[in-house]
Amino acid sequence: MNIVITGATGFVGQALCQYWHEQGHTLMVVSRQPDKAHATTGVPVMARAAAVDFADQSVDAIVNLAGEPIFNRRWSEDQKEKLIASRLKATRDVGELCQRLEQPPKRLISGSAMGYYGDQGSREVTEQTPPHDEFAHRLCREWEEAAQQLATDQMQVACIRIGLVLDRDGGMLKPMRPMFRLGVGGRLGKGQQYMPWVHRHDLVRIIDFLLNHEEIQGAWNAGAPAPVTNAEFTRTLAASLNRPAPFVMPGRVVSLALGEMSQLLLTGARMLPARLEAAGFRFEYPTLEKALTAIEHRAA
């Protein structure tokens, strides 16, 4: 297939490019630095500065992962607007590409996040669960709505609500592993908040699964089938490193340090991949212990 990827030089995008290159797909990536995209992704790609620049190509599918990193800085009102605007702009650029193509692609797989659901306590969360209204939900809702507006009779649109992505060289583990290896890790607040997570390799496999699945329209939870609480995550990560994790970061300290953004760390959702499992997808890393063991084995 000929596939356009936005966000290809990011943590997930790089792994996706490597996976699809091995399968023989032709990869067209959108990058602010097109001349460096080959080096960043580690595989041969055609790179251009905007999605619409591929209007002269044949495109079978689009994967839209671009957006300002949500943890980059404290959530001022300006920063919240920037987070929304970056996602809407990337999605609208994809829409402009679709309009200009002589033959529209058959699939658009667009990013979203577990934040769509907001704080859900300990209840099980599927794609049908009503969201809790807060900024993370509004951000994801606007992102998804912009993508779903591009659906046509010729092109299906899937929005993937991604959990915390785990692997050794990026994502949330990159800053956490050094602290836990020193034995100074610990839980956040009471530790009862759920943390939907997914191994990066399984997330790549999910995107590939949707690329080839017959019916993909709508939202898909992209998290492992065994989400854990923050306390469970802390214990499992410490055990995988054979280190203690005796400390607690009080919730009020996290709130003072991060402001509204602290909601992402102190609340959560017990998000389950209901549609994926019903469609026949099987995780290679269904449990956190198995995922972290594999990551540590690769890091050794």
Side-chain angles (χ1 to χ4, degrees):
M1 290 189 185
N2 298 330
I3 308 171
V4 171
I5 308 172
T6 74
T9 58
F11 178 52
V12 175
Q14 290 178 38
L16 186 62
C17 286
Q18 292 163 13
Y19 186 85
W20 276 342
H21 171 68
E22 292 175 0
Q23 293 188 0
H25 295 302
T26 298
L27 306 178
M28 297 173 278
V29 307
V30 179
S31 172
R32 284 175 291 186
Q33 297 179 304
D35 57 325
K36 297 182 179 180
H38 173 89
T40 304
T41 60
V43 297
V45 296
M46 182 189 304
R48 295 179 180 173
V52 72
D53 292 340
F54 290 112
D56 61 341
Q57 300 293 312
S58 173
V59 178
D60 299 307
I62 302 173
V63 177
N64 178 35
L65 301 175
E68 174 81 7
I70 199 163
F71 279 111
N72 250 16
R73 60 190 64 185
R74 193 181 177 98
W75 287 356
S76 65
E77 290 304 312
D78 285 346
Q79 178 63 11
K80 288 196 286 188
E81 287 298 319
K82 186 176 182 180
L83 289 169
I84 294 173
S86 68
R87 286 157 175 77
L88 296 186
K89 181 182 184 304
T91 307
R92 288 167 182 158
D93 288 348
V94 164
E96 186 176 355
L97 168 62
C98 292
Q99 289 179 348
R100 294 197 187 185
L101 287 169
E102 189 172 321
Q103 178 68 34
K106 296 179 180 178
R107 298 275 193 278
L108 166 60
I109 301 169
S110 192
S112 184
M114 64 185 189
Y116 177 89
Y117 298 106
D119 181 13
Q120 294 287 337
S122 60
R123 67 176 64 87
E124 292 187 346
V125 173
T126 72
E127 290 86 354
Q128 304 303 315
T129 301
H132 178 261
D133 188 24
E134 56 191 70
F135 173 68
H137 163 67
R138 294 191 293 273
L139 170 67
C140 293
R141 184 193 65 207
E142 291 193 38
W143 195 8
E144 291 188 17
E145 287 175 350
Q148 291 294 349
Q149 288 171 5
L150 304 180
T152 66
D153 292 340
Q154 292 78 37
M155 184 177 75
Q156 295 185 57
V157 177
C159 293
I160 48 174
R161 295 171 180 167
I162 301 171
L164 299 166
V165 184
L166 307 183
D167 211 341
R168 60 177 178 151
D169 53 357
M172 64 173 295
L173 282 185
K174 187 172 183 178
M176 289 182 69
R177 284 181 71 252
M179 292 191 302
F180 274 72
R181 287 183 69 86
L182 291 172
V184 295
R187 73 171 196 263
L188 298 175
K190 295 180 179 180
Q192 297 173 351
Q193 65 275 28
Y194 270 86
M195 297 174 61
W197 61 272
V198 62
H199 192 293
R200 180 169 61 162
H201 180 63
D202 273 336
L203 178 55
V204 166
R205 292 178 57 245
I206 288 168
I207 296 171
D208 182 69
F209 179 83
L210 293 176
L211 180 75
N212 296 285
H213 195 56
E214 182 178 354
E215 173 57 51
I216 69 166
Q217 188 69 32
W220 299 76
N221 288 347
V228 297
T229 64
N230 176 259
E232 291 173 300
F233 187 95
T234 299
R235 288 194 297 269
T236 307
L237 178 56
S240 75
L241 296 167
N242 196 28
R243 294 290 190 275
F247 298 101
V248 176
M249 177 70 76
R252 64 181 180 276
V253 174
V254 179
S255 295
L256 285 171
L258 300 179
E260 187 179 357
M261 188 168 63
S262 65
Q263 291 177 339
L264 294 180
L265 301 177
L266 298 176
T267 66
R270 192 177 178 184
M271 187 180 78
L272 302 176
R275 285 193 71 191
L276 279 170
E277 293 195 309
F281 183 83
R282 295 295 175 262
F283 288 80
E284 289 189 14
Y285 302 101
T287 66
L288 182 62
E289 183 177 14
K290 187 172 183 179
L292 292 178
T293 297
I295 290 168
E296 289 308 314
H297 178 75
R298 289 180 60 212

